[in-house]
Amino acid sequence: MARKDIVVLGAGIIGLCVALHLQKRGRAVALVDRRGAAEETSFGNAGLIQREGVFPYGFPHDFGALLRYGLNRTIAAHYHPSALPRLAPFLWQYWQHSRPARHAEVARLYAKLIEHCVAEHDALAAEAGAQHLIVRGGWLKVFRTERERDQRFAEAEGWKMDFGVEHRKLDAQALQAAEPYLAPVLAGALHWTQPTRALDPHALGQAYLARFQALGGEFLQGNAATLEADGAGWKLRTAKGPLEAGGVVVALGPWADVLTRALGYDLPLAVKRGYHMHYRAAGEAKLNHPILDVERGYFMGPVGRGIRLTTGAEFALRDAIRTPVQLGRAEPIARDLFPLAERLDAEPWMGSRPCTPDMLPVIGPAPRHANLWFAFGHAHHGLTLGAVTGRLIAELVTGEAPFVDPAPYSAARFR
Ligand SMILES: Cc1cc2nc3c(=O)[nH]c(=O)nc-3n(C[C@H](O)[C@H](O)[C@H](O)COP(=O)(O)OP(=O)(O)OC[C@H]3O[C@@H](n4cnc5c(N)ncnc54)[C@H](O)[C@@H]3O)c2cc1C
């Protein structure tokens, strides 16, 4: 039977970064997925590496937003009423962790990971020869009203002081100069200057895979459901035959709960689904930065394939039928803001953000099993935090001093 030091289950951006970091440290690593690498959630996200994302997206607490969401007609959020009974315990906890004081506490813990996101991806991309896939220049949060603009400008000052998040404030005129093809209906923008972005998240994943394989790592097809304890280690079946491993890292993103439940853990995981569609920019029109139309609730940015429009949160069961209503609502508004030509994809793409109710990822040893580690629950920021999580898990597995204190991200917090 083939034997590896470590098997990483799941070849999304998290599993890829974990596997690469372990292989770099001289471990014999197999990365196992039932599909190709970065073909699920890590395929079609908005591509941002969000250095500004210190406050993970909370559940709204103001009455107006709750009412709008409740009516289920917004672009930012959509829900399947039939899923609410199953989602209610998660939503209740999510709401509690989003209370302003608790949210601020969560942000302090989250920022410890976020602050390394750009540097860690830059390092991996350089090793993988993938610098050309990382674009600098930040992104723009654009505002329809002066009220929203001024409120967010003030918030940005706080984030700068507390978390070192840099920004530029653009008034309507400066925004027009930066983005001449946007309709002149906006009151200004916050330009987050530190974030980078992946021109094509799937291609970045492929580049990390190629680097992992060049270092001797093995990518295998297999189903995580075949995992079994085997003495002090583990075994599982792959397309190339049975495999033994000294340790296993679970990086199954939105499917992590399938395995953790089978292993006896009751973790409060859920998904927020999201969609994308590509468009050709009409005529000579050019979008210089990605933009979040925050008062309308959608995001669009330039990628290799054209303009990628991505949607916010859909609260639904992971495997429920696709309902890209948010995309349908966003498209005419986006067209009014920027001259989009025809759709380039036959069908909208959908991915499922793997979420925890306290908005913190699960990173670290499994509480009740030796030689088992968890790396999932990265919600809106899996691309952002992929390289950070990869390094942290590799340091924990190999017994190095961790570069970030892992305690707040332990699965033990849910006991
Ligand atoms: C619309 C949208 C926009 C987003 N924008 C951004 C953004 O701009 N920036 C950002 O940082 N994040 C963004 N995200 C979030 C980000 O995409 C995710 O957090 C991230 O991709 C999660 O990565 P992952 O590796 O945990 O999961 P995945 O990429 O889903 O990987 C999980 C892997 O596990 C495999 N798997 C599942 N079950 C099994 C099994 N039984 N056996 C074997 N393999 C299995 C799957 O095939 C898959 O390859 C966005 C998400 C969406 C939906």
Side-chain angles (χ1 to χ4, degrees):
M1 195 185 294
R3 187 172 170 84
K4 295 284 178 187
D5 296 328
I6 303 283
V7 167
V8 179
L9 296 173
I13 192 65
I14 303 296
L16 283 159
C17 293
V18 169
L20 177 48
H21 264 289
L22 281 164
Q23 189 71 36
K24 265 162 54 124
R25 286 165 171 77
R27 296 301 189 272
V29 181
L31 176 61
V32 175
D33 202 294
R34 60 185 175 188
R35 302 186 51 156
E39 287 190 356
E40 289 282 2
T41 328
S42 302
F43 178 86
N45 56 54
L48 294 181
I49 296 171
Q50 290 190 255
R51 173 61 184 91
E52 89 301 337
V54 287
F55 268 80
Y57 296 101
F59 198 98
H61 268 247
D62 67 288
F63 183 71
L66 281 173
L67 188 66
R68 282 197 303 281
Y69 288 160
L71 293 172
N72 214 7
R73 292 204 204 103
T74 69
I75 297 175
H78 178 244
Y79 63 89
H80 286 184
S82 59
L84 289 184
R86 291 266 301 274
L87 293 179
F90 172 88
L91 292 174
W92 170 241
Q93 289 184 48
Y94 182 26
W95 189 77
Q96 286 187 315
H97 286 289
S98 302
R99 281 197 309 253
R102 171 64 185 149
H103 200 183
E105 202 179 312
V106 167
R108 274 196 299 281
L109 302 172
Y110 200 57
K112 299 280 182 223
L113 297 171
I114 288 283
E115 67 187 24
H116 300 286
C117 66
V118 170
E120 290 301 319
H121 263 302
D122 280 353
L124 281 195
E127 284 179 39
Q131 298 98 321
H132 61 288
L133 293 173
I134 305 271
V135 182
R136 297 186 194 280
W139 64 275
L140 302 174
K141 189 184 273 185
V142 304
F143 306 110
R144 301 269 173 173
T145 62
E146 289 178 4
R147 185 171 169 272
E148 181 75 17
R149 181 193 69 191
D150 296 342
Q151 210 174 313
R152 300 292 185 139
F153 279 2
E155 184 180 67
E157 284 302 330
W159 292 6
K160 182 173 178 168
M161 244 169 23
D162 295 344
F163 305 110
V165 171
E166 301 289 346
H167 66 271
R168 288 171 55 220
K169 299 184 183 75
L170 307 186
D171 61 14
Q173 213 180 349
L175 174 56
Q176 276 297 300
E179 295 291 352
Y181 289 96
L182 290 184
V185 295
L186 299 168
L190 261 174
H191 180 186
W192 303 113
T193 53
Q194 295 157 309
T196 54
R197 64 190 160 96
L199 205 48
D200 177 346
H202 177 239
L204 186 66
Q206 293 292 318
Y208 289 177
L209 176 68
R211 176 67 183 155
F212 165 70
Q213 290 173 313
L215 291 172
E218 201 172 357
F219 181 42
L220 297 169
Q221 304 296 293
N223 193 327
T226 65
L227 185 74
E228 282 178 69
D230 181 28
W234 298 91
K235 64 181 179 190
L236 81 159
R237 291 198 295 279
T238 74
K240 275 199 169 170
L243 184 63
E244 283 178 354
V248 166
V249 181
V250 180
L252 294 166
W255 292 271
D257 62 330
V258 180
L259 184 60
T260 54
R261 218 179 303 121
L263 290 167
Y265 294 91
D266 183 19
L267 303 177
L269 304 174
V271 300
K272 290 185 198 169
R273 308 195 310 179
Y275 299 84
H276 86 210
M277 173 55 67
H278 292 101
Y279 302 83
R280 190 171 62 78
E284 298 292 306
K286 191 164 178 261
L287 197 54
N288 295 316
H289 305 84
I291 63 163
L292 173 65
D293 187 352
V294 64
E295 283 151 282
R296 296 292 183 270
Y298 67 91
F299 182 91
M300 66 176 156
V303 296
R305 190 164 156 67
I307 303 293
R308 177 177 288 182
L309 197 158
T310 45
T311 61
E314 183 177 62
F315 294 94
L317 300 183
R318 184 189 53 225
D319 302 321
I321 190 166
R322 294 174 182 217
T323 49
V325 294
Q326 290 155 287
L327 200 57
R329 290 172 188 162
E331 185 180 306
I333 295 170
R335 284 186 186 287
D336 280 347
L337 191 61
F338 179 81
L340 297 171
E342 74 276 9
R343 285 184 166 202
L344 298 176
D345 306 323
E347 294 292 335
W349 169 86
M350 189 191 83
S352 299
R353 302 174 183 94
C355 298
T356 62
D358 64 4
M359 297 162 276
L360 296 171
V362 179
I363 306 171
R368 294 196 302 276
H369 290 82
N371 303 317
L372 182 68
W373 288 269
F374 290 161
F376 48 77
H378 293 76
H380 292 257
H381 291 142
L383 174 63
T384 299
L385 292 177
V388 175
T389 298
R391 178 170 165 189
L392 188 51
I393 286 282
E395 289 172 345
L396 294 174
V397 170
T398 58
E400 289 167 51
F403 79 127
V404 175
D405 174 11
Y409 322 112
S410 166
R413 70 188 191 268
F414 294 119
R415 263 190 279 180

